[in-house]
Amino acid sequence: MTETLTEILIVFIKIVCALVWFLLLTLYLTWLERKESALIQDRLGANRAPIFGIRIIGLFQPFADAIKMIFKEDFVPSFSRKFLHTLAPFISFFFVAITIAAIPFGDILRIGNRTINLQILDFNVGLLFILAMLSLGIYGIIISGWSSNNRYTLTGGLRGAAQVISYEVALGLSLIGLIMVYPSLRLSSIVVYQGELLFGFLPKWGIFLQPLGFVIFLFAALAETKRVPFDLPEGESEIIGFFTEYSGLKWGLFMMTDFMEIIIISTLLTTLFFGGWQVPWLASDGFHFPWGGELLLPHVVIVLFQVAAFNIKVFFFCWLQILIRWTYPRFRYDQVMDLGWKLLVPLSLVNIIGTGIIMTI
Amino acid sequence: MIKALGYFIEIIRGILITARHFVVNLFFHILKVLGIKTKRKGAVTIQYPEQKKEIVSRHRSLHRLMTRPDGKPRCVACMLCVTVCPSECIYVEAAEDPDPEIQKYPAKFIIDLGRCCFCGFCVEACPEDAIRMDTGNVHFAQYSQQDLIYDLDKLIG
Amino acid sequence: MIKIFIDKDPVEVEEGTTVLKAAERAGIHIPHLCYHPAFPPEGSCRMCLVEIEGFPKLELACSTVVKKDMKISTKSERVVEARKAVLEFLLAEHPLDCPICDKAGDCKLQDYYDEYGLFESQFKEVKEKREKKLKIGKTLILDQERCILCTRCVRFLREVTETQELGVFHRGVHSSVNIYDGATVVNNYAGNLAEICPVGAITDEDFRFKTRSWFLEKRESICPLCSRGCNILIEYHPGFARFEVPKKVYRIKARENPEVNGFWICDRGRYGYSYLEEGRADQIILNKIDGENVLTWENISEYLGEKIKRLYSAKKATGIALILHTWLSNEELFLVHKIFKEDLKVEKIFFADPPQIEADGYLLTSDPSPNIRGALEIGFDIKTVDLDALADGTDFLLAFGPFLSGLFSLGDLKEALDKIKGKVLFSYYSNELNSLFDIVIPVALIAEKAGSLTNVDGIVQSFQPALEPPGESLPEWKVLADLGKKLGIDSKFFEKFTSPDAILGEMGKKITFFQEKE
């Protein structure tokens, strides 16, 4: 009885920790986006929002934004389908938030004789689960566009749906090669496989085994996040997007969904192509360097190393995605479609065949 | 294919430029935080309420009405500014001055700054150099539109 | 007819005309300041110089009479140079205070400087100091500095009013227009001086500093203040919505019509424009009526038609009385005549016009209502209101115009009108008179509707709306045409009356007087 209760408690704590990590990172990505874009453009960026006169480079800005958004008027247009209009942002938010359940944050943490998996749920179809949930998020876009009962939002929603569905194909296909190499859909297993070494020194990370797959996945994933240069569904600056009729917190949910997608894409990139929580040459008892050295470390330190490695990699990819967003202009709609169907899908098919040929050899 | 490769190279070059800006600016910011003085700053931002840019001489700021040596407005209510104003934000009502050398003076001179587009046509049109936009005052935001309607006293003062 | 050549184009003109008139007829404007078509040429401003082949010097277009095969050039280099030189001399003493000059915008000197001048002054000397604000008449102010000594004003007072209050005094550079000792310009046509002055030397206190002439919209109309029917221009400011300044009439000017008023209008017409705007009624008033609560003309015309029809079919048309006035246009009077006199056989038709005034022997007549002749020609005999006869056995009264209150005291009117059950008033103004009637319907003034008037000499003049009627006001011809339709006695006849023109056309068929005048 107590055993089950403890198990439940542990899972509960894991959920809370993961969600807090997820949402805090989301909040601070908005800050990072402002600061990074500012640095790129030789500006300072948000540096106000003081608490008791303390500014620390605008670190409280996300909270100020959140408070503002909460207290803004929640305007629902009289001509909209009220229920669906309210539901749409929650659908979008929910299906992205739930994907965090399958992400492995680290290896196994041993406390006493209890082993805790640093992952909320270790699915055997973890990868498919994430892809499926990301695909379901499209309903939020379509419903918001349709229920706003506004021609512009509807076309925005349709653009979004078309784009997301197109890139879903390339996204899935690009991962098939990877699954062929690491024969598992369980994300924890994929990460464990990546702990092995290639030619004795190179970690067996996905980037080295599937370079083409990585590039295709990166492009498709960027399109999946619906941000510049693939921000056709929104096009906040010029073309009118699907959440035009939203305001306040509901609009905020859509915006947060975008940032959460960035994080999920980053965690996926990390987990699939950059070894997840793996630190090169760090085994479960310490470092085993390829040139023969050894550095044995206590278990807790190793787990900390692993979690830190995972976080650093995720942060890097978040940074990279924001860099991309602030570098490139928006694609034209037909260019987006061309890139998806005429380049990425054939390339990913070539990648599958190539992988197959190399593996049989 | 070669063309596509060219695009690809340009895409990489683009992201390297932005990344360079990021890294270099971050470096200078860190130096500043560490208290090391450098000639170059990490940003060109002017921290507005604390730092202010000097207003250039031809900048068009809040209007003012010029006065004669005895303090009467120089304006003769010819209404050329009213005529030329593209946003129709000036209203002038003329009155008779007992001095036959002046004859006409503005009994009312109202500028609705809420409508004014600061084109400066009124200044150009004025035959008496009675209206100028050289106060350098750009801080006249108000909480109500009514407070943005400036009358003769406010414009002279 | 002889043939001359103006700027190489052959022009056929009558013998004896001047070059200036001939050129005007050919569509060529020769600049002139002192010349006015109402007076013989003076030739003092020298602006109209033209080059004529065979003449050694430039000649004055205003006073040179054309001869056969005369070759005139109005735009040659010599002429343009001369105009520039003339302008320079005219402007030598001109103060250039256009910003405070009411003429600015209408000023011919300004226009010509813009067209032919555009020079920098060569004069270093200080300009002569003169009287800048000399009150020469009840509403006229003379600025001698601006005066270019064209003597139009002097000639007007000598030849038109024959009062001769102004003259040119002194000589040479000191010459100036002034009033004779003790005299002021007091006559009923003094207002024309400000209008004919080509510069801003004589300005009108009534208009002085009120607005600028380029803000004003100019609309043609006919003066209704006496039976002369002078042609006028109504100049109004369309209003300044952003500062809640409403539309306002600023002045009335004479409009040229040689048959009626020549170039002039009297001061009564010029300054009496307050009738256009002061105290106007702008909504339908229901003082005492049951059942009706929607105040639209549609409903009320239905109600009136029904009411009159009932009286008519009960053979009680004798109980209907009518008060008319002669500010109504020919068309309106015709409709009244048709509906009430021909169809309903109403006998009690009275006229209530403003009381007579003193005629001045020139334009102003003694009848302060514009269409008495029209009413007579249509077939009314003009009976002034007799209150006893009016109230006697009357069930229903339709009264037009606000002039009843000028003829009788309010108490007498109330006593008489209280005996009448149904009373409807069509009025321009909202005053105490309105309280005596059950329904008051605001109607449009002559300046606000289309139609025609017959003046004292029997000249039928059409006019178009110059201003917007205030609020719910309707033109009376529309009111009457609607009533005619609603009555249903001869409703086909009224169907086609969608505009005053259509009514005038019908009048031409019925009444010989209007035959050729439609």
Side-chain angles (χ1 to χ4, degrees):
Chain A
M1 192 60 212
T2 48
E3 187 60 24
T4 352
L5 267 181
T6 336
E7 282 295 322
I8 289 170
L9 193 69
I10 286 169
V11 170
F12 186 73
I13 289 170
K14 282 200 286 192
I15 290 173
V16 168
C17 285
L19 272 182
V20 165
W21 177 85
F22 199 20
L23 293 177
L24 263 184
L25 192 54
T26 308
L27 270 185
Y28 272 93
L29 270 195
T30 65
W31 177 83
L32 180 70
E33 167 133 320
R34 286 165 164 226
K35 282 306 218 187
E36 192 178 333
S37 63
L39 286 181
I40 287 169
Q41 296 169 350
D42 298 347
R43 294 185 284 112
L44 278 179
N47 63 350
R48 304 275 156 158
I51 289 184
F52 307 120
I54 305 162
R55 285 190 185 174
I56 29 172
I57 52 173
L59 268 179
F60 300 121
Q61 187 70 43
F63 294 99
D65 288 346
I67 291 167
K68 184 200 85 173
M69 236 182 281
I70 289 165
F71 286 103
K72 251 177 114 163
E73 187 192 353
D74 179 23
F75 181 78
V76 181
S78 59
F79 45 78
S80 67
R81 315 274 156 146
K82 304 256 169 1
F83 176 70
L84 288 177
H85 187 268
T86 313
L87 187 68
F90 293 98
I91 292 178
S92 269
F93 181 81
F94 174 77
F95 284 121
V96 177
I98 202 167
T99 49
I100 199 70
I103 301 292
F105 284 80
D107 200 2
I108 290 158
L109 175 66
R110 269 188 232 101
I111 299 174
N113 52 6
R114 188 178 292 282
T115 57
I116 300 166
N117 211 346
L118 290 183
Q119 187 179 12
I120 296 173
L121 272 178
D122 196 7
F123 287 104
N124 55 1
V125 288
L127 188 54
L128 286 186
F129 171 76
I130 290 177
L131 292 181
M133 289 302 131
L134 284 181
S135 305
L136 282 174
I138 189 64
Y139 283 107
I141 296 172
I142 295 181
I143 291 174
S144 69
W146 182 77
S147 66
S148 296
N149 206 356
N150 170 331
R151 292 173 192 87
Y152 294 106
T153 60
L154 182 62
T155 29
L158 286 179
R159 277 199 307 271
Q163 178 184 322
V164 172
I165 286 171
S166 309
Y167 279 85
E168 210 67 54
V169 178
L171 193 74
L173 287 178
S174 70
L175 291 180
I176 289 180
L178 191 95
I179 296 160
M180 286 157 79
V181 177
Y182 312 117
S184 172
L185 287 172
R186 188 189 287 267
L187 285 170
S188 57
S189 316
I190 292 176
V191 175
V192 170
Y193 281 126
Q194 292 186 65
E196 292 168 18
L197 291 181
L198 197 63
F199 314 126
F201 70 96
L202 198 60
K204 237 181 174 178
W205 289 2
I207 175 85
F208 301 122
L209 300 180
Q210 283 286 317
L212 188 57
F214 167 71
V215 172
I216 296 164
F217 182 81
L218 182 64
F219 274 104
L222 282 176
E224 190 78 4
T225 57
K226 306 185 295 297
R227 280 160 59 83
V228 182
F230 298 98
D231 67 335
L232 296 154
E234 298 153 31
E236 42 219 0
S237 50
E238 295 93 12
I239 50 179
I240 300 172
F242 60 90
F243 55 54
T244 304
E245 299 289 1
Y246 284 88
S247 65
L249 201 57
K250 284 189 222 155
W251 175 82
L253 281 181
F254 276 120
M255 197 201 64
M256 275 178 77
T257 311
D258 270 10
F259 283 101
M260 285 159 82
E261 272 176 358
I262 293 176
I263 296 169
I264 287 299
I265 296 300
S266 300
T267 55
L268 274 183
L269 279 165
T270 307
T271 311
L272 298 175
F273 293 99
F274 285 84
W277 41 260
Q278 295 281 8
V279 185
W281 313 303
L282 181 68
S284 54
D285 55 350
F287 282 105
H288 296 273
F289 298 112
W291 52 86
E294 260 188 14
L295 182 62
L296 297 179
L297 292 166
H299 172 70
V300 180
V301 176
I302 287 171
V303 170
L304 279 178
F305 256 108
Q306 288 171 340
V307 173
F310 177 80
N311 274 298
I312 288 167
K313 288 171 191 172
V314 169
F315 293 161
F316 172 77
F317 282 111
C318 290
W319 175 82
L320 184 71
Q321 286 187 59
I322 291 173
L323 188 71
I324 288 170
R325 186 246 177 275
W326 285 96
T327 302
Y328 301 119
R330 182 187 308 136
F331 280 105
R332 217 170 53 216
Y333 189 61
D334 59 319
Q335 293 170 333
V336 170
M337 283 303 172
D338 278 0
L339 183 70
W341 288 105
K342 292 188 186 167
L343 189 70
L344 295 187
V345 170
L347 266 184
S348 51
L349 290 175
V350 167
N351 184 43
I352 294 167
I353 295 164
T355 311
I357 291 169
I358 290 171
M359 281 180 74
T360 26
I361 293 167
Chain B
M1 194 62 211
I2 290 166
K3 210 176 159 193
L5 195 70
Y7 286 149
F8 197 72
I9 289 168
E10 288 306 314
I11 284 172
I12 300 291
R13 266 166 55 106
I15 205 154
L16 286 179
I17 289 170
T18 48
R20 192 188 75 220
H21 272 262
F22 178 82
V23 173
V24 170
N25 287 331
L26 188 64
F27 175 69
F28 282 105
H29 282 307
I30 290 169
L31 283 189
K32 199 188 161 199
V33 170
L34 295 177
I36 300 165
K37 280 207 172 131
T38 48
K39 257 190 203 162
R40 195 177 145 174
K41 287 193 291 180
V44 294
T45 312
I46 294 168
Q47 298 275 300
Y48 173 61
E50 295 96 26
Q51 292 176 330
K52 274 171 196 157
K53 213 174 163 182
E54 203 180 313
I55 288 176
V56 294
S57 58
R58 65 176 189 183
H59 178 264
R60 294 189 294 267
S61 45
L62 182 67
H63 317 64
R64 66 171 168 147
L65 284 182
M66 309 299 291
T67 51
R68 295 168 196 269
D70 61 356
K72 286 183 188 168
R74 218 188 259 177
C75 172
V76 294
C78 70
M79 303 189 203
L80 286 180
C81 49
V82 181
T83 311
V84 80
C85 183
S87 40
E88 298 182 8
C89 70
I90 310 179
Y91 176 70
V92 179
E93 222 172 270
E96 181 114 28
D97 195 284
D99 183 352
E101 290 307 306
I102 298 175
Q103 294 209 27
K104 205 175 171 189
Y105 78 97
K108 274 187 190 170
F109 194 107
I110 299 171
I111 298 182
D112 185 349
L113 291 176
R115 297 195 184 281
C116 177
C117 64
F118 293 87
C119 62
F121 283 6
C122 49
V123 181
E124 300 292 323
C126 186
E128 302 283 329
D129 189 19
I131 186 166
R132 289 189 191 170
M133 293 175 77
D134 61 352
T135 51
N137 184 1
V138 289
H139 302 255
F140 39 85
Q142 296 289 353
Y143 283 99
S144 86
Q145 295 192 337
Q146 211 53 40
D147 294 341
L148 280 171
I149 296 175
Y150 276 42
D151 59 7
L152 199 62
D153 295 338
K154 256 176 148 177
L155 286 165
I156 284 179
Chain C
M1 293 297 257
I2 53 168
K3 195 179 183 187
I4 59 165
F5 297 88
I6 301 178
D7 292 339
K8 293 188 181 115
D9 293 334
V11 181
E12 289 271 336
V13 291
E14 273 168 49
E15 216 160 340
T17 43
T18 59
V19 173
L20 195 137
K21 276 185 189 162
E24 213 95 295
R25 206 154 305 157
I28 296 161
H29 179 73
I30 296 174
H32 57 270
L33 292 162
C34 70
Y35 172 75
H36 190 282
F39 316 123
E42 173 85 359
S44 64
C45 74
R46 321 300 289 181
M47 264 311 279
C48 62
L49 290 171
V50 289
E51 196 173 356
I52 301 171
E53 219 177 270
F55 284 68
K57 291 192 201 166
L58 299 177
E59 291 296 322
L60 289 175
C62 68
S63 57
T64 309
V65 176
V66 291
K67 279 196 205 132
K68 199 163 184 277
D69 294 329
M70 212 178 218
K71 291 189 177 61
I72 304 151
S73 50
T74 65
K75 293 185 179 80
S76 73
E77 210 173 300
R78 250 180 101 196
V79 172
V80 171
E81 200 53 42
R83 278 176 194 161
K84 201 166 173 175
V86 168
L87 268 176
E88 193 161 0
F89 280 115
L90 286 175
L91 288 169
E93 291 293 324
H94 195 79
L96 293 178
D97 50 2
C98 306
I100 58 164
C101 178
D102 284 318
K103 199 77 181 182
D106 292 338
C107 178
K108 290 175 94 178
L109 194 58
Q110 231 181 12
D111 294 348
Y112 295 150
Y113 176 76
D114 198 45
E115 214 174 331
Y116 307 105
L118 296 176
F119 48 76
E120 288 284 319
S121 176
Q122 298 174 41
F123 289 91
K124 293 192 177 66
E125 294 80 5
V126 181
K127 291 184 180 184
E128 186 95 347
K129 214 60 227 120
R130 288 164 215 255
E131 200 67 56
K132 264 199 94 60
K133 205 170 150 184
L134 187 65
K135 205 163 156 109
I136 56 166
K138 222 165 91 191
T139 61
L140 297 178
I141 290 174
L142 172 69
D143 185 330
Q144 293 179 332
E145 286 185 5
R146 289 181 196 154
C147 177
I148 55 161
L149 295 167
C150 71
T151 69
R152 272 185 179 189
C153 49
V154 177
R155 283 178 285 152
F156 174 82
L157 293 174
R158 193 172 63 217
E159 282 164 34
V160 178
T161 65
E162 295 168 6
T163 47
Q164 305 197 28
E165 289 101 338
L166 288 175
V168 182
F169 292 77
H170 307 298
R171 295 270 168 149
V173 74
H174 302 293
S175 38
S176 60
V177 168
N178 209 333
I179 34 176
Y180 290 105
D181 271 346
T184 48
V185 185
V186 185
N187 60 60
N188 199 27
Y189 295 86
N192 291 304
L193 289 179
E195 203 178 313
I196 59 165
C197 182
V199 293
I202 296 178
T203 50
D204 204 327
E205 232 172 325
D206 184 58
F207 182 68
R208 194 172 159 87
F209 301 164
K210 294 265 165 59
T211 183
R212 305 307 310 260
S213 70
W214 56 84
F215 291 139
L216 300 176
E217 304 270 342
K218 298 166 176 63
R219 294 282 184 278
E220 294 182 355
S221 190
I222 291 175
C223 179
L225 293 179
C226 81
S227 55
R228 177 71 57 190
C230 294
N231 293 207
I232 54 168
L233 272 180
I234 297 176
E235 299 200 354
Y236 69 96
H237 193 296
F240 215 156
R242 300 199 162 165
F243 292 96
E244 285 165 15
V245 177
K247 184 193 86 182
K248 183 171 163 31
V249 173
Y250 274 100
R251 62 177 169 189
I252 306 282
K253 275 179 149 184
R255 184 154 59 90
E256 185 189 338
N257 187 344
E259 282 181 25
V260 180
N261 58 321
F263 300 89
W264 325 114
I265 56 172
C266 69
D267 284 3
R268 184 180 148 85
R270 183 182 298 273
Y271 300 124
Y273 54 82
S274 62
Y275 77 92
L276 285 168
E277 281 170 346
E278 269 171 30
R280 291 297 302 275
D282 55 1
Q283 54 190 12
I284 297 172
I285 301 164
L286 230 58
N287 286 329
K288 186 182 76 188
I289 211 146
D290 24 73
E292 296 282 339
N293 45 14
V294 186
L295 283 171
T296 62
W297 166 243
E298 197 60 31
N299 291 353
I300 288 169
S301 62
E302 200 82 46
Y303 168 82
L304 291 179
E306 207 52 44
K307 180 127 189 162
I308 296 170
K309 217 193 292 180
R310 234 182 293 137
L311 283 170
Y312 178 69
S313 44
K315 302 271 183 268
K316 272 190 182 165
T318 46
I320 300 172
L322 214 57
I323 297 175
L324 300 173
H325 60 99
T326 49
W327 281 48
L328 295 172
S329 69
N330 292 328
E331 292 81 358
E332 287 151 2
L333 287 170
F334 172 73
L335 288 180
V336 173
H337 193 268
K338 163 77 181 150
I339 298 170
F340 294 98
K341 215 160 177 189
E342 287 177 24
D343 291 351
L344 294 174
K345 310 272 188 302
V346 171
E347 271 158 20
K348 275 186 266 182
I349 297 178
F350 299 98
F351 277 78
D353 275 326
Q356 298 252 310
I357 50 167
E358 202 182 326
D360 70 353
Y362 184 46
L363 292 177
L364 187 64
T365 65
S366 56
D367 299 317
S369 36
N371 204 21
I372 290 185
R373 180 72 184 268
L376 291 171
E377 296 293 345
I378 286 161
F380 287 106
D381 50 340
I382 293 174
K383 276 187 292 184
T384 318
V385 179
D386 178 350
L387 282 183
D388 294 331
L390 176 74
D392 183 32
T394 302
D395 291 327
F396 192 67
L397 170 67
L398 274 175
F400 288 85
F403 305 116
L404 263 181
S405 54
L407 296 175
F408 304 99
S409 74
L410 206 66
D412 292 350
L413 277 172
K414 189 170 162 52
E415 198 184 321
L417 290 177
D418 276 348
K419 295 177 195 156
I420 304 169
K421 259 185 270 161
K423 295 157 283 187
V424 180
L425 179 68
F426 298 87
S427 180
Y428 305 126
Y429 304 114
S430 72
N431 50 24
E432 300 102 351
L433 185 65
N434 295 5
S435 63
L436 303 180
F437 287 83
D438 301 342
I439 307 173
V440 182
I441 294 146
V443 282
L445 280 165
I446 284 169
E448 293 155 358
K449 62 188 175 190
S452 68
L453 295 171
T454 313
N455 88 342
V456 68
D457 301 322
I459 298 167
V460 177
Q461 303 189 83
S462 288
F463 54 88
Q464 292 300 319
L467 307 167
E468 281 283 308
E472 294 175 328
S473 306
L474 293 158
E476 284 116 322
W477 65 263
K478 176 134 191 0
V479 168
L480 289 161
D482 281 353
L483 262 185
K485 263 184 268 175
K486 295 275 154 62
L487 271 179
I489 296 172
D490 193 1
S491 48
K492 270 249 174 69
F493 182 76
F494 295 98
E495 296 270 282
K496 55 184 178 281
F497 296 150
T498 49
S499 74
D501 279 351
I503 307 173
L504 193 61
E506 186 67 29
M507 287 168 77
K509 281 182 218 158
K510 295 239 158 142
I511 305 167
T512 41
F513 178 79
F514 292 101
Q515 214 153 35
E516 71 280 14
K517 280 155 183 161
E518 54 180 278

